[in-house]
Amino acid sequence: MRGLLTLRSLSVPEIMDIIDLAIRFKKGLTVNYSGKKMVNLFYENSTRTQYSFQIAMMNLGIQPLSFNLAGSSVAKGETLYDTVRTFEALGVDGIVIRHKQDVFYKELETIKVPIFNGGDGTSDHPTQTLLDLMTIYEEFGRFQGLKICLVGDIRHSRVAHGNAEVMKRLGMEVYISGPPEFCDDTGKFLPLDKAIKVCDIINLLRVQMERHEEEMKISKEEYHQKWGMTIQRVGAMKRGAIIMHPAPINRGVEIASEVAECVSSRIYKQMENGVYIRMAVISMALEGKL
Ligand code: NCD
């Protein structure tokens, strides 16, 4: 299959090639694919991923098609395969898909047009992982030996699962922290107040209420006090350490409102880098390199 489905099948040099190209786009490289058309098929809500893919297409001269899920034949029961096969027949040059099903792309193996995974279930979110890596690389100039703690709702997070897999391969030490019911075997557990003292990166995760089978056991206030990034915790962070979050953020739950925009936060830089990463993966796919 062409495009970008998961980073698990890419080598470290291949991942670095994507980040290098994104950095070149950020520095002003321009490429024009006018006449090409791509479509975003989002079966789950999205602001950043959906619209940064769209802006990336526009920056590359590609015409993005808008897809209205509720007004499409998906509402009549059309399968993912049949919708994708339709857009392929219509002549699009690439399809971005976000879907609640893990590894949704398995059923699309015979599709020839490049497919970009905008997030599958709780497994992977490859362009988010790449933009997180780009942000870390710009900050520290390396990955080897850096300590990162993923904090919060790890169990339900495709960002946590996708990031941890690649970060370990890049030589980073991956830790996790959060309420026991949200933790899994993604990394070694560290109490949050220890993590903020020793880690270079605190990667907060949204409490993903829509994926929970039961109501959260603790109140939002209690969560914030026990597991949230407060101004006091920012003050106790390791010197030079940064805060990341894929967003959307729940202000007052996993992050204090003022922390989102404090000097250690890279949340808006992550969003900005997302456009360049998506330009890089789209252009590599159109050049037959992905
Ligand atoms: C994430 C997602 O949807 O996987 N957001 C994103 O794409 N930036 C994380 C989340 O929803 O919490």
Side-chain angles (χ1 to χ4, degrees), residues 51-70:
Y51 292 97
S52 68
F53 258 115
Q54 195 163 320
I55 291 169
M57 291 169 200
M58 293 165 83
N59 289 350
L60 294 169
I62 300 164
Q63 178 78 46
L65 304 182
S66 59
F67 177 71
N68 170 8
L69 191 69

Side-chain angles (χ1 to χ4, degrees), residues 16-29 133-135 137-138 143 273 276-277 280:
M16 288 311 296
D17 280 349
I18 302 174
I19 296 170
D20 284 345
L21 181 58
I23 292 173
R24 283 197 280 142
F25 277 124
K26 192 170 180 176
K27 287 185 176 154
L29 174 72
L133 294 175
M134 177 176 171
T135 307
Y137 193 69
E138 282 184 333
F143 297 107
N273 285 345
Y276 301 112
I277 283 292

Side-chain angles (χ1 to χ4, degrees), residues 77-142:
E78 189 168 61
T79 62
L80 174 66
Y81 174 81
D82 283 326
T83 302
V84 170
R85 189 70 187 87
T86 298
F87 277 104
E88 183 177 50
L90 293 176
V92 299
D93 300 284
I95 304 177
V96 182
I97 304 173
R98 169 173 288 187
H99 204 282
K100 65 175 186 307
Q101 193 188 310
D102 289 296
V103 203
F104 66 77
Y105 45 86
K106 222 174 156 180
E107 61 185 274
L108 304 176
E109 265 161 9
T110 55
I111 299 290
K112 294 186 180 61
V113 65
I115 294 175
F116 303 89
N117 180 359
D120 64 303
T122 59
S123 296
D124 271 319
H125 191 346
T127 55
Q128 178 71 43
T129 298
L130 288 166
L131 74 88
D132 287 346
L133 294 175
M134 177 176 171
T135 307
I136 293 168
Y137 193 69
E138 282 184 333
E139 190 72 34
F140 299 99
R142 67 188 165 97

Side-chain angles (χ1 to χ4, degrees), residues 45 48-49 98 118 125 128 158-159 206 208 210 246-248:
N45 293 353
R48 274 147 294 274
T49 306
R98 169 173 288 187
H125 191 346
Q128 178 71 43
R158 51 184 163 227
V159 177
R206 185 174 63 93
Q208 295 149 86
E210 78 281 10

